[in-house]
Amino acid sequence: MNKEQGKISASLMCLKLKDLENDIKIMEEEKVDYLHVDVMDGDFVPNYGFGTDYINGIREMTDIPLDFHLMVMRPEDKLEWFKLRPQDRVCIHYESTIHVQRTLVRAKSYGSKVMLAINPGTPLYAVEEVLDYIDGILVLTVNPGFAGQKIVRSCISKVERLKEFLDEQGYGDLELAVDGNISYENAKLFRNMGANIFVAGSSSIFDGGDLRVNIEKYRDVIK
Ligand code: DX5
Ligand code: ZN
């Protein structure tokens, strides 16, 4: 079990544009750890969003580190678009590039934390050959590209089996992030399995309730 406090990665695709400035101010005050940016190209996932102009705009508004979830084909060709910073993290999908090890090494050269993302249908053992080149793994617990989905049930045991595998292989210190329908209840479940980064979206902090109250409730669940 990861001993340190769990980290909140707040999903920007789940907040309302009209509330952006106000919500970012609240997230700064509440010390949210990351802003989760779902970059989507309409090819890797059947959705489109969060282009570089939007990201540059967020950069002008806040210094909260960005958690780039690259749902794009051939991410290796696009890394320099995002002006990555050491305190950021970049999540590369195993399924999005032919040469995943080379892409992870290239991502690392930008200095930020590098995560390998795996879709619900990707076997957890896909991570086995690149454990030395990553800072952690992002487990997609929905088929990525949309907020508001329900968890893919098989992913619940997948997180547990992955953590057991990492511990057995001597990689128990790698960070373990989960993304997709990470409700308060699911966050607690995955926290107890050893996850330490939680993508909080429409099923939790952006459920329409008071954002500040929701963040404090979420932090309590993942402590
Ligand atoms: C998946 C997205 C969503 C979102 C979280 O591509 O990354 O998981 O951030 O939103 P909810 O909580 O609605 O799944
Ligand atoms: Zn995401």
Side-chain angles (χ1 to χ4, degrees), residues 36 38 69 71 179 199:
H36 187 81
D38 287 308
H69 180 188
M71 291 175 270
D179 180 4
V199 175

Side-chain angles (χ1 to χ4, degrees), residues 6-24:
K7 298 173 190 167
I8 298 176
S9 185
S11 178
L12 290 181
M13 82 185 295
C14 300
L15 63 76
K16 291 185 173 31
L17 211 48
K18 68 177 178 60
D19 301 332
L20 182 63
E21 196 164 0
N22 185 55
D23 285 0
I24 284 184

Side-chain angles (χ1 to χ4, degrees), residues 101-112:
Q101 189 275 342
R102 181 167 65 191
T103 300
L104 292 166
V105 169
R106 184 174 299 177
K108 195 66 196 163
S109 72
Y110 286 84
S112 49

Side-chain angles (χ1 to χ4, degrees), residues 62-122:
T62 182
D63 287 331
I64 301 178
L66 301 185
D67 173 27
F68 289 93
H69 180 188
L70 297 187
M71 291 175 270
V72 299
M73 290 308 290
R74 293 188 60 80
E76 60 267 32
D77 297 343
K78 299 153 187 168
L79 287 166
E80 70 273 12
W81 296 357
F82 303 108
K83 304 186 183 72
L84 295 169
R85 299 174 180 172
Q87 65 272 35
D88 293 338
R89 51 184 23 167
V90 59
C91 307
I92 303 283
H93 263 275
Y94 173 82
E95 310 87 355
S96 67
T97 171
I98 295 173
H99 301 289
V100 68
Q101 189 275 342
R102 181 167 65 191
T103 300
L104 292 166
V105 169
R106 184 174 299 177
K108 195 66 196 163
S109 72
Y110 286 84
S112 49
K113 288 272 179 81
V114 174
M115 307 284 282
L116 178 67
I118 50 175
N119 283 333
T122 300

Side-chain angles (χ1 to χ4, degrees), residues 59-217:
R59 288 285 204 205
E60 286 165 14
M61 294 172 72
T62 182
D63 287 331
I64 301 178
L66 301 185
D67 173 27
F68 289 93
H69 180 188
L70 297 187
M71 291 175 270
V72 299
M73 290 308 290
R74 293 188 60 80
E76 60 267 32
D77 297 343
K78 299 153 187 168
L79 287 166
E80 70 273 12
W81 296 357
F82 303 108
K83 304 186 183 72
L84 295 169
R85 299 174 180 172
Q87 65 272 35
D88 293 338
R89 51 184 23 167
V90 59
C91 307
I92 303 283
H93 263 275
Y94 173 82
E95 310 87 355
S96 67
T97 171
I98 295 173
H99 301 289
V100 68
Q101 189 275 342
R102 181 167 65 191
T103 300
L104 292 166
V105 169
R106 184 174 299 177
K108 195 66 196 163
S109 72
Y110 286 84
S112 49
K113 288 272 179 81
V114 174
M115 307 284 282
L116 178 67
I118 50 175
N119 283 333
T122 300
L124 70 89
Y125 299 107
V127 309
E128 188 167 12
E129 297 305 325
V130 292
L131 294 173
D132 287 333
Y133 306 99
I134 55 177
D135 298 289
I137 295 161
L138 174 69
V139 179
L140 269 293
T141 45
V142 297
N143 289 294
F146 299 93
Q149 300 180 85
K150 285 301 170 208
I151 197 165
V152 173
R153 303 299 303 168
S154 56
C155 294
I156 295 174
S157 76
K158 182 179 184 179
V159 172
E160 192 162 39
R161 286 179 282 120
L162 174 59
K163 184 59 177 145
E164 283 166 6
F165 174 71
L166 293 173
D167 288 344
E168 283 159 14
Q169 300 295 312
Y171 288 87
D173 287 342
L174 283 181
E175 297 197 280
L176 184 51
V178 285
D179 180 4
N181 189 211
I182 310 301
S183 60
Y184 299 102
E185 183 188 358
N186 290 334
K188 186 79 186 160
L189 185 68
F190 291 132
R191 181 65 179 153
N192 291 336
M193 291 177 186
N196 76 303
I197 301 174
F198 303 82
V199 175
S202 68
S203 51
S204 58
I205 63 174
F206 295 118
D207 64 5
D210 181 287
L211 178 58
R212 200 181 300 274
V213 169
N214 285 353
I215 291 169
E216 287 166 12
K217 179 178 165 189

